[in-house]
Amino acid sequence: MTHTTTPHAVRAALPAAAALLLATAVPAHAAPREAARGDWLFVTVTTGDARSSDMRGTLLLCDPPQGHGRAAEACAQLETAAGDIPALSTEDTYCPMVHAPVTAHAYGEWHGRPVDYTETFSNKCVMGARTGAVFALDG
């Protein structure tokens, strides 16, 4: 018996596969409303420009801090700034004047308010100096 798969058949199967993946990603004991409680942000860092980019991301949970390499530090900084990422205190750091753009994006909820933040920085050093541990996804 021979089976052939056409690109159309593969594209038609993708939504079903994605739905199955999402359905199995949530633990059986967690109710959907329960998972959305508390302070949480999905943070991503995209390095490079539109032609060649690399994206990393993670879910930062803050009650208790988890899901991020520096979760406790990031949550404490966000608490100090009331979840307002542009209001995070900046670090006094000397950064090289190298153009290696990175885009930081965060969306989620902080104390019941929606958060949606996006900013492009000239390099990772500048991003770290302005956003602290929130987008420190390298460890």
Side-chain angles (χ1 to χ4, degrees), residues 118-136:
T118 302
E119 188 168 349
T120 300
F121 300 94
S122 58
N123 58 50
K124 282 186 178 184
C125 179
V126 174
M127 178 186 70
R130 294 206 187 137
T131 63
V134 175
F135 295 99

Side-chain angles (χ1 to χ4, degrees), residues 17-32 35 59:
L20 179 63
L21 180 63
L22 288 173
T24 59
V26 177
H29 65 279
L59 180 62

Side-chain angles (χ1 to χ4, degrees), residues 35-53:
R37 286 191 196 155
D39 300 328
W40 64 275
L41 294 176
F42 185 73
V43 295
T44 62
V45 175
T46 306
T47 57
D49 56 18
R51 293 180 306 272
S52 62
S53 62

Side-chain angles (χ1 to χ4, degrees), residues 18-98:
L20 179 63
L21 180 63
L22 288 173
T24 59
V26 177
H29 65 279
R33 302 201 113 238
E34 187 178 333
R37 286 191 196 155
D39 300 328
W40 64 275
L41 294 176
F42 185 73
V43 295
T44 62
V45 175
T46 306
T47 57
D49 56 18
R51 293 180 306 272
S52 62
S53 62
D54 176 36
M55 184 192 310
R56 298 186 66 195
T58 192
L59 180 62
L60 170 63
L61 301 170
C62 288
D63 191 21
Q66 59 185 328
H68 183 293
R70 294 171 58 186
E73 185 180 358
C75 291
Q77 290 171 351
L78 285 164
E79 187 62 38
T80 300
D84 185 15
I85 296 171
L88 289 169
S89 61
T90 58
E91 215 176 282
D92 212 9
T93 304
Y94 290 103
C95 292
M97 293 180 63
V98 175

Side-chain angles (χ1 to χ4, degrees), residues 1-5:
M1 180 178 221
T2 303
H3 295 281
T4 55
T5 305

